[in-house]
Amino acid sequence: MADKNIINPDLVKYPKGSTREKVGILERGSYANLDFAGQLVATIVNSYLMYFFTDVAMISAAATGTILLVARIVDAIGAPVWGTLIDMTHSKHGKARPYFLWLSIPYAASGVLLFWAPSLSMTGRIWYCAIIYMIYGILYLGINAPVTTVLPLISSKPRERVVLNSWRMVGSNLGVFVVNSLTLPLVAFFGRGNDVLGFRIFVVIFAILNLIGTLYSFYHIRERVVVPNSQKVNLAQSIHAMKGNWLYYCCR
C-alpha cells in the first residue's frame, strides 16, 4: 500500500508504493540553494541599500530613514497576509513550492529596479525609492516565507528536516559571504568611478543568478507530506493567543 504521507506520487521519483522519504543529495543541495540564491539579492539590500540611497541616489538621510520605517510597517501587515495565502494554496506544484515559480521573476526585477537610480528630481527620487522598496519588501516576504514553509512538506521525518535546515543555513551563509565579498569591488570595477552604473550592472548580474538559482531549486525539490485539514484560526484568535503568551515573546 502506498504511503499516506506521499502527496503526489507523480512528483516523487520513488518506485510506486515506496515508503522511503530519505531526501537525496541533489534535493538537499537544491533546498540549500534557495537561501543561497535569495541572499544574492537580499544581502545587497540589507547591507548596502542605505548607502545606495544616501550616497548614490542622493536622497537625504531623513527621507531614507522614513522610507525604511514605513517599509517595516508594510512588512508587519504583509507577513500574515502571505502566510494566509500560502495556507490557502492548493496547486499541482504543491502548497509552498509554487511561490518560487510565481514570484521569482517579479522579485529579481524589483531588486534591479531598487538599485537603478533613475534621473529624476529629488522628490521624484524619494517617491521612486519608497514605492519600489515597498514592492520589493512585499515580494521578499512572498518568496522567503515558503522557504521555511516548504521544509516540513519535503519530509515528515524530524532527522531529515534537521539535515535539510543545516544545508539551508550553509547556503544562506555562503550567499551572504559571496555578496559581502564582491559587492564593492565589482561595483567599482563595473562603474569605473560611476557608482550608479556600477550598481546597475552588478545588481542585474546577481538578480539573474538569483532567478536562475530559484527556478533550479523549484524544479528539484518536492512536496511529499500531506497537510491534514485542521481548524482554521482567524486573525482575532491569533492576536488573543499572542496576548496570552506575551512573556514568551518578550523573554525569548
Side-chain angles (χ1 to χ4, degrees):
M1 181 179 295
D3 189 348
K4 294 181 180 180
N5 283 329
I6 302 299
I7 186 171
N8 189 343
D10 294 331
L11 298 179
V12 184
K13 297 179 180 179
Y14 296 156
K16 186 176 181 180
S18 171
T19 60
R20 183 181 138 204
E21 277 196 66
K22 184 176 178 60
V23 180
I25 295 295
L26 176 62
E27 193 166 1
R28 290 176 181 176
S30 297
Y31 184 64
N33 183 61
L34 279 174
D35 247 5
F36 174 80
Q39 292 295 352
L40 296 182
V41 173
T43 300
I44 302 174
V45 176
N46 294 337
S47 299
Y48 299 99
L49 184 66
M50 183 173 292
Y51 164 78
F52 180 83
F53 278 0
T54 57
D55 290 58
V56 181
M58 303 302 292
I59 64 177
S60 67
T64 298
T66 302
I67 292 172
L68 298 180
L69 175 62
V70 174
R72 298 290 77 77
I73 297 173
V74 173
D75 290 348
I77 298 172
V81 172
W82 279 116
T84 301
L85 289 175
I86 294 171
D87 187 56
M88 295 170 58
T89 300
H90 301 282
S91 76
K92 66 178 182 179
H93 299 303
K95 201 171 182 62
R97 183 169 161 259
Y99 287 89
F100 305 131
L101 175 65
W102 297 338
L103 298 181
S104 56
I105 293 177
Y107 175 70
S110 70
V112 171
L113 293 175
L114 189 57
F115 288 88
W116 198 254
S119 298
L120 300 171
S121 66
M122 175 60 71
T123 301
R125 291 199 301 272
I126 292 173
W127 278 106
Y128 175 89
C129 292
I131 292 171
I132 298 300
Y133 188 47
M134 304 302 168
I135 294 173
Y136 167 83
I138 292 170
L139 293 172
Y140 172 79
L141 290 171
I143 202 168
N144 189 63
V147 178
T148 302
T149 306
V150 79
L151 175 58
L153 301 176
I154 295 176
S155 175
S156 63
K157 294 185 176 181
R159 183 180 180 280
E160 287 292 346
R161 296 180 184 180
V162 170
V163 172
L164 282 166
N165 197 55
S166 298
W167 279 65
R168 174 192 172 186
M169 292 299 100
V170 171
S172 178
N173 291 331
L174 182 59
V176 172
F177 173 77
V178 168
V179 172
N180 285 331
S181 299
L182 297 179
T183 299
L184 294 181
L186 288 182
V187 167
F189 174 78
F190 292 130
R192 302 295 182 183
N194 184 343
D195 281 352
V196 173
L197 178 61
F199 267 103
R200 285 180 181 177
I201 297 174
F202 173 75
V203 172
V204 166
I205 293 172
F206 272 60
I208 291 173
L209 293 175
N210 163 266
L211 175 61
I212 294 172
T214 302
L215 292 177
Y216 176 87
S217 293
F218 163 77
Y219 283 109
H220 289 88
I221 61 174
R222 297 291 180 265
E223 292 187 13
R224 301 174 178 81
V225 180
V226 176
V227 179
N229 292 328
S230 58
Q231 182 181 1
K232 298 200 177 289
V233 178
N234 59 38
L235 182 60
Q237 291 172 319
S238 299
I239 294 174
H240 179 74
M242 291 174 63
K243 288 171 61 179
N245 290 276
W246 67 271
L247 186 60
Y248 169 77
Y249 289 100
C250 292
C251 303
R252 57 185 298 182

